[in-house]
Amino acid sequence: MATALEGLRVLELGSGAAAGIAGMVLAENGAEVVKVESPDGDRDRGRPGFTVWHRAKKSAVLNLADDNDRDRFFELARKADGVIAAFRPSTATSLGVDYETLSRLNDQLVYAAITGFGESGPWRDLPGYEQIVAAKSGRMTTYEGVRPGPVFTPVPIASYGAGMLAAVGLMAGIWARESTGRGQRVHTSLLHALSVYDMTSGHGNRTNMPPEPGKVYGIMRVPFMTAPTKDGRFIQMCSRQAHHYRRWLTELGLEELLDDPDLANAPDLWPSEERLASAIEAIQAGMEQRTAEEWMNVFSAKDIGGDPFLAPREFLDHPHCTENGRRQEVVDPEMGPTVQIGPLGLYSESPSVVGPPAPRLGEHTDEVLAGWPSTASPSPSASGNDPASDLPLADITILDVGYFYACPFAATLLAEAGARVIKVEPPTGDPGRRNWTTDYVKSLVGKESIVLDLKTPEGLDILYQLVDRADVFLHNFRPGTPERLGIDAESVMGRNPRLLYVYASCFGSRGPWAHKAGFHSSPNAIAGAGMVESGEQNPPRNRTYGDPTAALATAAAIMAGVLACRRIGRGQKLETTMLTATAYAVAEWGIQHSGLPSPVVDSGQYGFHAYQRLYETGDGWLLLDVHRNRERQALGAVLGIELPELPSSELSTQLTGVFSTDSAEAWEDRLLAAGVPAAQADRGDFLRNMLNENHMRESGVAVEAEQDELGSYWRAAPTMQFSSAPTPLAPTLPLGWATMEILGELGFDHEEITTLHDAGVTKPIGHGLPS
C-alpha cells in the first residue's frame, strides 16, 4: 500500500529536536527527507534522541557558507517539495537559504520556518534552545519542586510542539498547492508551541482566574492528584468526570464527601481551603490502604480513572504499546539493536513505515546530489483559488465530535490553517466547558458549535447529513460508545466512503485498558514523563501535558491522512493515542538500547549537568544551557576559568559559587553578549508571561481579541503563520451558537428548527455549574 507522502522531497536544515521531529513525521509517512548538515554535523549527534528523531532520513553534508556547496543546495531546492529550516530569524537570510531566495528558484516550494522565540520582539535573536525558551517563558517557575525556586524541565515539549506544528504547516501547504499550483511559507516557534500547552490562558478559566469569595478550585489537587499507595508506588488519578469521581470516593468509603451539601460543586469548587485540605488528607489516607496493583485492578473493573507511573522504557513493553502496534525495532549503526516508539498514527490504507535507522553523517551526500532528477510540476486545478487570499485548508470540513482538549484542540490547530470545523456538542456541551466561567474556551476557538442530542433519531440523522459533506470525522470515545451512538466507522464511512475517520484515543482500541477512561494525566504517568520530570530518586510528578502533546500529534496525523485519502481516492481510518504522542516527546529516554545513557535530572531538580543547569545567583536564578564547544569556551573566557570538556559535580559546585556573586540579570546580559546561552529563570509565572510579557505581544504569541461579554482581552495567538493569508482571530462563542445557521444550510426551515429545539434535540442546557 502507498504511504501518504510518497514521492515528496523535503530538505531539513538546522539542528535541534524541533526540525528533527518535523522531518521524522514526514519521513515515516513516506517523504524522502534529506537532513542537510554542516561538515561538523548536527549538535545532537551522539544523543539517544537523535537516533529516533532522524530515523528514515538521509544525510547530506553541505557547507552552506561555501559558494559551491550553496549552489549544490540550490539545485536540490529547485527539485524539492518542501524545506524545514530551524534557524534564528536572520540566519537563513545570511546563509542565502531563506524563503524569498528559494521561492525564486522554485515557486512551488513549501517552506516551514522554525525559530526559538518568533520573528519579532526583543527576544527574537536569543538562542532558540529548549531550556532557554523554558526559562524565559517562565515555564520553570510553574511547577512545584523539591526545593524553593524554579525547577529544571527536561522534556523538550516546546521542540516537540514546534516540530509537529511545522509538519502540519508544511503538509497544509502541500495540500493547498494542488489547487493553487504554488507553494508558500509557514512559520512557527518553540514559544508559539508552548502556548498550546497553556490550556488555561485567557479570561474565564476556573484554574487561572483569582477565586471569588467562598470558592476554592480543587480540580488539579483532587481528581488529578498524584496519590501514594501502600507499596510506596504512586498512581496518577484522573477522575474528573462526576461518575468517575463518585465511584472513586465510594470505593474509598468517603461517601460523606459526596453527600455533604456544602460540597455540591466538588471536585471543581470547594467552600474553603481548609475543607479542601481535609478532603485531600482523607483521600490520600484511603489510597495508602492498598498497593498500586490492587488499585489498578479495582479501577479497571469499576471504571475509575487512575494510572500507574512507568519509566519511558517500560512503556515500550506495555500492552498498550505492543498490542496497538507502537513498538518498533530498529538496528542503528552506532547503537546496534534498539527498540523505539513506533508510528504516530495507524492508517488503514496508507500505513506509516518507520524505515531505516538514523543516517551516519554525510552517508547519502553523493546519492542525493546525483539522484534527484527534475520532476513534473503539479498543475493547479481549473477552479484554482488565489493563493494570496486563502488559508491552505479552506476547502476542508472537519466534524469534531470529541470531548475535552486532546481531541478537540487537534481540530482547533487545523482551523488555524483554514479548515472549517463544526463542533458537535450534546445539550450539556463538551465537558471541557466545565473549566470555564465564560464563553471563552481555548479548544473551541474558530469553530461552529451545533447542539445535537445523538441519542435521538433526529439528532443522529442531522449528524449523518453533516457527515455527507465532511472530509474528516474526529472523536475520542472509548470502544463501544460510537457503536451505541451510531457513529462508528462502519456507519459513518458507509455514508461517506471518502471520509478520513479519526479515533483520537488515549489508550488505543486494543489492550487491557482500551475501555478505561483516559485523561490528560494518563500518558504523563504511563508513557514515562512523570518519572523523567521528577529528578533522580524523587517521587513522580504530574506535569499535565498529555492533552497538548496528543492534540499536536493528532493534527499532524490528520494532515498526512487527508493527503493520503486524496492520493488513493478513497477514505480510511486513522487511530492516534495520547500515550504514543507523549512517548514521542520523551523519546530521548524511551529508546531501549545498549549505547549512551539518557540524561538524568539530579535529585535537586537543578538540571542534567554543570553546563545545562539552574544556578542560584545573588538575587534569583540563572539557567545555563551550553551545548557546543565554542559556547563552553566563551563561558570560560567570561568567567576567567579554563573549563573541562566533560562536566562534573565538582564543576557544578564551583560555578554555583561564581554565579552567586552577581544578579541573574547581570549574568544573563554578560553571558549572552559573549555568545553563551543563558537566561533568567524566575522572571514571572508562565501563565502570566504567556499573555502579558512584552515579547509575547510583540512576537505575536499573545494577541488582543474581542468577545462580546469580555470586550477587548489578550489570548493565545494562532500557532502558525501562513504567507497565503492571516489566520482570523475568531472568538469562542456560546454552546450551540451556530445550530440554526447550520440547520439552515442543510435545508431545514424555521418551523422545523423550532420543533427540534422545543423537543430538546438541539436545545443547549449547559454544564450547570455556578458562574
Side-chain angles (χ1 to χ4, degrees):
M1 290 185 278
T3 54
L5 307 179
E6 187 174 328
L8 290 179
R9 297 166 171 171
V10 178
L11 300 168
E12 180 187 314
L13 303 173
S15 294
I21 289 169
M24 176 175 62
V25 171
L26 303 176
E28 70 180 25
N29 284 293
E32 183 181 359
V33 179
V34 177
K35 180 171 177 56
V36 178
E37 301 184 71
S38 71
D40 294 334
D42 189 301
R43 69 167 187 262
D44 289 332
R45 282 191 173 272
R47 289 177 57 177
F50 185 94
T51 303
V52 182
W53 302 327
H54 298 288
R55 66 195 186 191
K57 299 178 187 176
K58 296 177 179 178
S59 170
V61 168
L62 292 173
N63 181 4
L64 297 178
D66 177 83
D67 291 342
N68 291 330
D69 273 5
R70 191 184 307 111
D71 287 342
R72 294 185 181 98
F73 176 79
F74 288 161
E75 287 304 309
L76 295 177
R78 286 188 176 95
K79 304 166 187 175
D81 297 282
V83 168
I84 300 165
F87 295 123
R88 297 191 205 189
S90 59
T91 301
T93 301
S94 65
L95 290 173
V97 294
D98 55 288
Y99 173 68
E100 289 71 19
T101 299
L102 299 185
S103 64
R104 288 194 293 268
L105 304 175
N106 177 359
D107 67 357
Q108 297 166 66
L109 192 70
V110 181
Y111 188 103
I114 304 172
T115 61
F117 287 90
E119 297 183 306
S120 58
W123 299 346
R124 70 185 291 271
D125 292 317
L126 292 180
Y129 293 171
E130 175 75 28
Q131 303 305 336
I132 297 294
V133 173
K136 293 294 284 186
S137 68
R139 182 172 173 249
M140 292 185 174
T141 69
T142 300
Y143 301 116
E144 181 180 348
V146 298
R147 54 167 174 76
V151 299
F152 191 81
T153 51
V155 179
I157 61 170
S159 298
Y160 165 92
M164 290 295 171
L165 291 169
V168 169
L170 193 148
M171 287 188 283
I174 295 294
W175 172 272
R177 191 180 69 176
E178 181 74 15
S179 59
T180 66
R182 293 179 58 184
Q184 61 179 293
R185 184 181 191 270
V186 58
H187 166 260
T188 191
S189 75
L190 273 66
L191 203 55
H192 281 87
L194 274 185
S195 73
V196 176
Y197 298 91
D198 172 15
M199 297 186 287
T200 63
S201 71
H203 290 267
N205 187 272
R206 291 184 182 278
T207 60
N208 191 31
M209 293 180 69
E212 299 175 20
K215 295 179 183 178
V216 176
Y217 303 138
I219 297 168
M220 297 308 301
R221 296 166 64 186
V222 178
F224 289 111
M225 72 165 53
T226 299
T229 61
K230 185 177 182 180
D231 54 350
R233 296 182 62 189
F234 291 82
I235 286 180
Q236 179 57 57
M237 293 309 303
C238 307
S239 287
R240 165 67 187 285
Q241 293 222 71
H243 57 287
H244 295 139
Y245 180 68
R246 176 166 291 277
R247 290 169 190 158
W248 179 34
L249 264 61
T250 299
E251 189 63 31
L252 287 167
L254 295 174
E255 290 90 343
E256 68 268 19
L257 295 179
L258 299 170
D259 299 332
D260 188 334
D262 289 340
L263 304 180
N265 293 310
D268 296 80
L269 302 172
W270 298 75
S272 68
E273 184 64 41
E274 293 74 20
R275 195 72 181 90
L276 174 59
S278 69
I280 291 172
E281 183 179 0
I283 292 170
Q284 289 183 334
M287 289 295 294
E288 290 179 334
Q289 301 308 305
R290 300 181 188 178
T291 67
E293 183 176 358
E294 288 170 343
W295 277 121
M296 288 311 304
N297 290 334
V298 169
F299 292 168
S300 297
K302 299 191 176 183
D303 191 23
I304 298 171
D307 304 288
F309 281 91
L310 304 177
R313 294 184 185 182
E314 288 182 284
F315 171 64
L316 295 181
D317 296 323
H318 193 276
H320 282 282
C321 185
T322 59
E323 294 183 27
N324 284 287
R326 289 332 206 281
R327 175 188 169 101
Q328 184 71 41
E329 296 181 6
V330 179
V331 179
D332 184 80
E334 305 294 336
M335 292 186 178
T338 70
V339 177
Q340 307 177 13
I341 189 62
L344 196 66
L346 298 182
Y347 301 90
S348 62
E349 302 297 325
S350 60
S352 303
V353 179
V354 169
R360 290 188 171 97
L361 178 62
E363 181 179 347
H364 305 95
T365 304
D366 293 341
E367 173 191 336
V368 170
L369 292 177
W372 268 25
S374 297
T375 56
S377 301
S379 300
S381 64
S383 59
N385 299 317
D386 179 358
S389 62
D390 285 328
L391 285 164
L393 303 185
D395 56 348
I396 286 182
T397 298
I398 299 172
L399 290 186
D400 171 10
V401 192
Y403 283 173
F404 295 108
Y405 195 87
C407 174
F409 201 75
T412 304
L413 293 170
L414 299 177
E416 288 184 11
R420 181 188 188 188
V421 180
I422 298 175
K423 173 71 174 176
V424 180
E425 302 190 65
T428 52
D430 182 331
R433 287 182 182 267
R434 290 170 59 88
N435 283 350
W436 278 263
T437 58
T438 74
D439 289 325
Y440 177 82
V441 181
K442 187 176 178 184
S443 64
L444 301 182
V445 169
K447 300 182 182 180
E448 301 169 38
S449 172
I450 178 173
V451 166
L452 292 177
D453 185 349
L454 299 183
K455 296 179 181 179
T456 66
E458 297 87 352
L460 185 59
D461 180 66
I462 294 169
L463 179 70
Y464 284 159
Q465 293 183 55
L466 293 174
V467 164
D468 294 341
R469 302 177 175 209
D471 301 286
V472 179
F473 186 93
L474 174 63
H475 79 88
N476 60 347
F477 297 119
R478 289 179 272 174
T481 300
E483 289 77 9
R484 289 192 297 272
L485 292 174
I487 59 171
D488 55 286
E490 183 177 353
S491 298
V492 171
M493 297 182 74
R495 293 189 62 95
N496 183 351
R498 63 180 180 81
L499 195 72
L500 179 68
Y501 182 92
V502 185
Y503 175 32
S505 69
C506 180
F507 295 103
S509 57
R510 295 180 292 277
W513 297 338
H515 289 79
K516 195 167 83 73
F519 290 90
H520 74 132
S521 295
S522 299
N524 169 76
I526 297 170
M531 292 286 197
V532 173
E533 295 276 6
S534 63
E536 193 171 21
Q537 298 182 340
N538 291 328
R541 298 274 172 175
N542 179 14
R543 289 301 195 228
T544 64
Y545 43 72
D547 271 357
T549 55
L552 289 156
T554 299
I558 288 173
M559 278 311 310
V562 295
L563 285 166
C565 289
R566 185 168 67 183
R567 171 190 291 272
I568 63 180
R570 61 183 182 277
Q572 62 174 322
K573 292 180 286 185
L574 163 62
E575 182 176 305
T576 63
T577 74
M578 294 174 68
L579 299 182
T580 302
T582 301
Y584 265 64
V586 297
E588 179 90 59
W589 297 268
I591 179 173
Q592 297 178 356
H593 61 94
S594 58
L596 293 173
S598 301
V600 178
V601 177
D602 62 76
S603 59
Q605 295 182 301
Y606 294 102
F608 292 140
H609 52 69
Y611 295 136
Q612 286 183 276
R613 189 186 191 276
L614 285 160
Y615 289 95
E616 192 165 9
T617 68
D619 68 347
W621 290 85
L622 179 80
L623 183 280
L624 194 66
D625 197 16
V626 169
H627 294 259
R628 304 175 187 271
N629 285 333
R630 67 172 182 266
E631 296 167 349
R632 173 177 56 83
Q633 292 163 358
L635 173 63
V638 171
L639 302 182
I641 301 172
E642 186 172 342
L643 296 173
E645 182 176 349
L646 297 178
S648 64
S649 58
E650 292 77 15
L651 180 60
S652 296
T653 301
Q654 180 183 6
L655 294 182
T656 297
V658 172
F659 288 126
S660 68
T661 62
D662 208 340
S663 69
E665 183 178 6
W667 279 118
E668 180 188 273
D669 291 344
R670 194 176 307 154
L671 293 173
L672 288 176
V676 180
Q680 290 181 260
D682 56 355
R683 275 196 61 201
D685 174 76
F686 177 69
L687 296 181
R688 187 205 70 82
N689 285 353
M690 291 303 288
L691 290 182
N692 301 312
E693 172 63 51
N694 180 50
H695 176 81
M696 307 305 178
R697 297 183 175 188
E698 287 194 29
S699 64
V701 172
V703 291
E704 193 169 17
E706 297 281 341
Q707 191 151 319
D708 287 346
E709 68 174 62
L710 297 174
S712 178
Y713 68 104
W714 287 88
R715 47 156 273 205
T719 58
M720 299 169 282
Q721 298 86 47
F722 295 91
S723 61
S724 59
T727 300
L729 299 179
T732 299
L733 296 176
L735 171 64
W737 70 271
T739 301
M740 291 182 62
E741 179 181 336
I742 294 171
L743 291 177
E745 287 182 28
L746 296 176
F748 289 84
D749 61 29
H750 179 75
E751 182 178 348
E752 291 170 320
I753 292 172
T754 301
T755 299
L756 288 167
H757 179 276
D758 292 344
V761 177
T762 60
K763 181 179 181 179
I765 297 174
H767 52 57
L769 287 176
S771 62

